[in-house]
C-alpha cells in the first residue's frame, strides 16, 4: 500500500511537472480574426498559413464573413470585452488606434528594431501601426480604392475605350446599356457604395478637396457645391446598376464582371484578387484603369494585423506572425495573390502583373506628390464612428431614403458632427 501510494504520488508529481512544463512552453499556434472569406482573399491568406506552418505554427482561423469588416469588428469587440484576445486581428487604420488607446495592444517594438521596419514601412502606414512610439500592428499590404475593373470582351464588343473623365465613364456605361449588358456591377451594401463614392469625390473635386473634406473633415468643404456635385454624380452612376444589386456581396459583383455579365466594377484592388483566383489575365481578360479624374492620386487603405497583448506563452507565435508578415518574400507572394501592393518600399515589382506594377508605381508617385490620401470608407480617413456615419448617409442616398444632393450634404455634415 505504502509502495503504491508512493508510486501514485510520484506519478502525480510527474504529471504536475509535465503540465507546468507545457504551461511554461510557448503555444505554437496563431489565432487570427479576419474577414478574408472570398476566393481571392482565402487564397492570399493561404500563403501566410503555409509560411507559418513551415515554421511549425498551427493556424487557428477566426473568419467573420462580410466585406469591409464591419461584422468582424463587432465580433472582435465582443472577444476583447471578454478578455479573450486573438493573437492578431485584421484591422483598418483608425481602428488600430482605438484599440491601442484602450490599452489592449501588445508591443512589437523589439522585433521592429531587429527587422528594420522603421526604414522599410512608409510613413503613412506607420501613423497607424505605431502608437506612442510602440509598434502595435503590422501592415500586410496597401490597397487602393480608385480603380475600375472592366471585362475586356465586353469592352471590345461595345467598342469602348478608357474613360478619361466622369462624363466619358457615363458615356461608356450608356454603350454597355445599349448592348444589353449590365453596365455597373455593384453590391448595394453601405461600405461598397461609400467605397465607390470615395472615388467620385476625388474625381469631382481633386486630391486637395478630397483631403480637406474626407480626411480633415473641414465643414466648408463638406457642405460645398463640390460635395453636392459629388452626390449628383453618384446619382448619375447608380442608375446603371441591375435591379438585384441590393445587399449583393462585393465578390459576386466582381464575378459579374469576370463572367461578362457586367461591364465594370468600381472597387478596391481586392477585386483583382478575384480575377487572379479565376486565372484571368490583365490586358487579355480584363482591364484595370484608375477611376477617371483620379489619375496621379491614390486613395489607400492598408490591412493591418493588430497585435494584442496576449499572455507570455503566446508571444513567440505573435512575433513569428509579425516577422513573416513583413518579410520581403511574403510581401511579394501574398500581394500578388491579394491584388494589393507591398507595405514595404523595398520589394521588387518583378512578380507582379501589369495592374500590380501600375499600383506600385502609382503609390510611389502619389506619395512623392502629396496625393496619397486615406479612404474614408475604408477606415483611413477618420475614426470608425465618423466613417460609419459617412457610409450610412451615402447608402441612404443610393437607396432613395435621402432624395436630393442638398439633403445628402446636410445630413452628412450633421451625422459627422454627431459622431465626433
Ligand atoms: C477591405 C480590406 C480588403 C478586402 C475587402 C473586402 O476592407 O481592406 O483586404 O478584404 O475589405 O473584404
Amino acid at each position: 500500500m505504502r509502495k503504491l501510494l508512493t508510486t501514485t504520488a510520484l506519478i502525480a508529481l510527474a504529471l504536475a511537472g509535465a503540465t507546468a512544463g507545457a504551461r511554461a512552453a510557448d503555444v505554437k499556434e496563431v489565432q487570427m480574426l479576419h474577414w478574408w472569406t472570398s476566393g481571392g482573399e482565402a487564397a492570399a491568406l493561404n500563403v501566410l498559413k503555409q509560411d507559418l506552418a513551415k515554421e511549425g505554427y498551427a493556424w487557428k482561423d477566426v473568419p467573420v464573413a462580410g466585406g469591409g469588416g464591419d461584422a468582424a469588428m463587432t465580433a472582435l469587440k465582443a472577444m476583447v470585452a471578454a478578455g479573450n484576445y486573438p493573437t492578431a486581428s485584421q484591422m483598418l487604420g483608425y481602428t488600430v488606434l482605438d484599440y491601442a488607446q484602450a490599452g489592449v495592444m501588445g508591443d512589437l517594438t523589439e522585433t521592429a528594431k531587429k527587422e528594420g521596419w522603421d526604414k522599410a514601412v512608409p510613413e503613412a502606414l506607420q501613423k497607424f501601426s505605431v502608437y506612442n512610439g510602440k509598434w502595435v500592428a503590422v501592415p500586410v499590404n496597401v490597397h487602393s480604392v480608385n480603380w475600375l475593373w472592366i471585362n475586356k470582351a465586353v469592352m471590345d464588343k461595345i467598342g469602348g475605350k478608357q474613360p478619361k473623365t466622369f462624363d466619358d465613364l457615363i458615356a461608356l456605361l450608356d454603350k454597355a446599356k445599349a448592348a444589353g449588358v449590365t453596365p455597373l456591377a455593384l453590391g448595394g451594401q453601405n461600405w461598397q457604395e461609400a467605397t465607390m463614392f470615395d472615388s467620385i469625390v476625388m474625381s469631382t473635386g481633386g486630391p486637395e478637396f478630397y483631403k480637406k473634406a474626407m480626411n480633415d473633415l473641414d465643414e466648408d468643404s463638406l457642405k460645398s457645391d463640390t460635395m453636392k456635385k459629388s452626390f449628383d454624380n453618384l446619382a448619375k452612376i447608380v442608375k446603371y446598376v441591375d435591379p438585384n444589386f441590393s445587399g449583393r456581396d462585393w465578390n459576386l459583383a466582381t464575378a459579374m464582371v469576370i463572367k461578362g455579365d457586367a461591364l465594370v466594377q468600381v472597387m478596391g484592388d481586392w477585386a483583382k484578387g478575384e480575377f487572379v483566383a479565376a486565372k484571368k489575365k490583365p490586358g487579355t481578360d480584363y482591364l484595370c484603369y484608375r477611376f477617371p479624374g483620379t489619375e496621379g492620386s491614390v486613395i489607400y487603405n492598408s490591412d493591418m494585423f493588430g497585435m494584442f497583448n496576449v499572455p507570455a506563452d503566446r508571444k513567440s507565435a505573435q512575433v513569428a506572425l509579425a516577422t513573416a508578415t513583413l518579410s520581403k518574400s511574403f510581401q511579394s507572394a501574398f500581394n500578388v495573390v491579394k491584388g494589393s501592393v507591398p507595405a514595404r518600399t523595398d520589394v521588387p515589382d518583378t512578380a507582379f502583373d501589369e495592374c500590380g506594377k501600375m499600383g506600385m508605381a502609382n503609390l510611389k508617385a502619389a506619395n512623392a506628390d502629396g496625393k496619397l490620401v486615406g479612404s474614408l470608407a475604408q477606415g483611413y480617413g477618420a475614426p470608425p464612428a465618423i466613417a460609419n456615419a459617412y457610409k450610412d448617409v451615402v447608402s441612404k442616398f443610393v437607396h432613395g431614403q435621402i432624395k436630393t444632393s442638398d439633403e445628402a450634404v446636410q445630413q452628412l455634415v450633421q451625422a459627422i458632427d454627431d459622431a465626433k
Side-chain angles (χ1 to χ4, degrees):
M1 179 71 179
R2 207 171 150 214
K3 188 159 186 274
L4 186 66
L5 264 181
T6 313
T7 315
T8 315
L10 277 176
I11 292 171
L13 267 177
L15 276 176
T19 320
R23 225 180 268 143
D26 292 335
V27 179
K28 301 280 271 178
E29 175 194 86
V30 166
Q31 189 193 24
M32 166 81 91
L33 191 146
H34 62 88
W35 62 92
W36 283 335
T37 55
S38 80
E41 291 171 330
L45 195 57
N46 260 334
V47 179
L48 183 58
K49 287 184 195 172
Q50 280 162 11
D51 276 8
L52 286 165
K54 274 185 224 145
E55 291 182 44
Y57 291 95
W59 183 269
K60 187 155 176 231
D61 209 30
V62 189
V64 183
D70 288 338
M73 289 303 95
T74 306
L76 178 65
K77 210 181 236 171
M79 279 178 80
V80 172
N84 174 21
Y85 302 170
T87 313
S89 170
Q90 183 188 357
M91 286 184 190
L92 299 172
Y94 278 93
T95 306
V96 176
L97 303 182
D98 272 8
Y99 278 102
Q101 197 179 15
V104 294
M105 303 310 276
D107 182 1
L108 272 290
T109 310
E110 214 177 286
T111 312
K113 281 200 181 125
K114 207 172 104 215
E115 298 285 324
W117 293 347
D118 287 27
K119 275 165 253 116
V121 174
E123 192 73 17
L125 302 189
Q126 288 194 38
K127 272 195 226 147
F128 296 96
S129 56
V130 180
Y131 182 78
N132 278 348
K134 290 182 184 154
W135 280 81
V136 296
V138 294
V140 192
N141 58 11
V142 184
H143 272 303
S144 62
V145 306
N146 52 319
W147 288 105
L148 302 180
W149 305 99
I150 293 180
N151 180 292
K152 171 87 163 45
V154 175
M155 191 73 158
D156 290 345
K157 185 174 143 202
I158 65 172
K161 56 179 193 321
Q162 180 177 5
K164 292 291 186 185
T165 63
F166 185 79
D167 290 345
D168 285 354
L169 175 59
I170 296 297
L172 183 66
L173 295 172
D174 270 330
K175 274 181 180 250
K177 193 174 166 193
V181 181
T182 297
L184 179 66
L186 176 68
Q189 298 173 342
N190 69 2
W191 74 271
Q192 291 185 61
E193 294 152 350
T195 299
M196 181 169 78
F197 191 56
D198 278 357
S199 292
I200 296 175
V201 173
M202 169 76 89
S203 168
T204 311
E208 270 310 306
F209 175 78
Y210 180 95
K211 195 175 164 296
K212 267 174 128 181
M214 314 286 270
N215 292 175
D216 305 343
L217 307 176
D218 168 58
E219 199 163 313
D220 287 342
S221 305
L222 285 170
K223 53 182 181 212
S224 64
D225 286 345
T226 309
M227 193 53 108
K228 276 180 207 157
K229 188 157 182 234
S230 303
F231 277 103
D232 290 346
N233 284 341
L234 176 60
K236 276 187 199 161
I237 207 173
V238 293
K239 291 212 180 87
Y240 294 92
V241 301
D242 65 305
N244 302 321
F245 87 108
S246 278
R248 173 187 292 138
D249 288 332
W250 68 272
N251 54 317
L252 299 182
T254 313
M256 290 167 69
V257 177
I258 292 176
K259 283 191 236 144
D261 294 341
L263 172 69
V264 57
Q265 182 183 25
V266 181
M267 189 41 70
D269 39 20
W270 45 91
K272 207 194 84 178
E274 300 303 298
F275 286 95
V276 173
K279 306 224 175 329
K280 300 293 180 192
K281 299 275 173 257
T284 312
D285 304 310
Y286 69 98
L287 305 164
C288 55
Y289 298 138
R290 286 296 177 180
F291 191 95
T294 72
E295 292 89 354
S297 300
V298 168
I299 310 176
Y300 82 98
N301 80 327
S302 159
D303 291 301
M304 301 258 170
F305 289 161
M307 299 286 162
F308 282 89
N309 190 11
V310 288
D313 58 355
R314 291 190 163 266
K315 289 230 155 80
S316 74
Q318 190 174 58
V319 168
L321 169 68
T323 309
T325 301
L326 267 177
S327 77
K328 279 202 206 181
S329 57
F330 172 79
Q331 283 287 321
S332 179
F334 173 88
N335 285 305
V336 160
V337 181
K338 185 67 169 73
S340 37
V341 304
R344 303 178 57 117
T345 51
D346 55 358
V347 177
D349 71 0
T350 358
F352 289 79
D353 62 26
E354 61 189 73
C355 300
K357 284 190 167 72
M358 180 174 147
M360 286 175 78
N362 290 167
L363 177 65
K364 200 172 165 199
N367 195 20
D369 297 348
K371 291 180 179 169
L372 175 65
V373 292
S375 162
L376 182 53
Q378 289 290 327
Y380 280 80
I386 291 170
N388 288 339
Y390 165 68
K391 288 188 261 187
D392 190 47
V393 170
V394 171
S395 191
K396 280 187 175 145
F397 182 79
V398 170
H399 295 270
Q401 288 143 275
I402 297 175
K403 301 248 179 303
T404 64
S405 298
D406 274 317
E407 205 191 317
V409 162
Q410 273 168 29
Q411 294 223 15
L412 182 63
V413 170
Q414 186 64 50
I416 289 181
D417 221 42
D418 293 347
K420 270 183 186 163

